[in-house]
């Protein structure tokens, strides 16, 4: 069980770091007219567990804050993930 916990901690740290970095990179690319990160990929990293860091990135970089897909979708993803976490902790 300790190995599983360690794996999950590393996984969530990595996916959150990547989600935050992608948010920052996409904002940087948007300012410079460079190639952007597809919205689908940004939302995928949120769905894979990176929603807390992506929300932080949205706030710090002022990025994707006008798109309902993000200012509604990312918090919604986070709420669903937290609910699943509570259920997993309670019943597993």
């Amino acid at each position: 069980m300790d190995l599983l916990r360690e794996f999950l901690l590393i996984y969530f740290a990595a996916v959150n770091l990547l989600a935050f970095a992608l948010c920052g990179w996409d904002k940087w690319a948007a300012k410079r007219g460079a190639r952007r990160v597809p919205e689908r990929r940004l939302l995928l990293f949120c769905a894979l567990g990176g929603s807390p860091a992506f929300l932080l990135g949205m706030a710090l970089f002022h990025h994707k804050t006008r798109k309902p897909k993000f200012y509604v979708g990312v918090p919604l993803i986070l709420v669903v993930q937290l609910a699943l976490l509570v259920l997993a902790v309670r019943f597993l």
Side-chain angles (χ1 to χ4, degrees):
M1 190 65 156
D2 288 334
L3 187 61
L4 178 60
R5 284 187 186 159
E6 186 175 329
F7 170 77
L8 288 175
L9 284 173
I10 293 169
Y11 169 80
F12 283 112
V15 78
N16 274 278
L17 182 64
L18 285 170
F20 184 80
L22 282 174
C23 186
W25 177 264
D26 193 50
K27 179 64 175 193
W28 179 87
K31 285 183 171 182
R32 286 157 182 77
R35 187 170 180 190
R36 305 282 303 276
V37 178
E39 288 184 352
R40 177 181 256 174
R41 184 165 303 142
L42 295 173
L43 290 170
L44 174 65
F45 273 88
C46 291
L48 292 174
S51 55
F54 195 86
L55 272 174
L56 179 63
M58 284 176 64
L60 288 175
F61 304 126
H62 304 285
H63 191 51
K64 298 290 186 187
T65 57
R66 294 183 179 181
K67 292 193 168 224
K69 188 186 298 187
F70 288 90
Y71 75 75
V72 172
V74 176
L76 188 60
I77 290 170
L78 179 60
V79 167
V80 169
Q81 290 171 338
L82 289 173
L84 290 172
L85 178 64
V86 167
L87 288 173
V89 166
R90 183 170 180 175
F91 293 108
L92 294 180

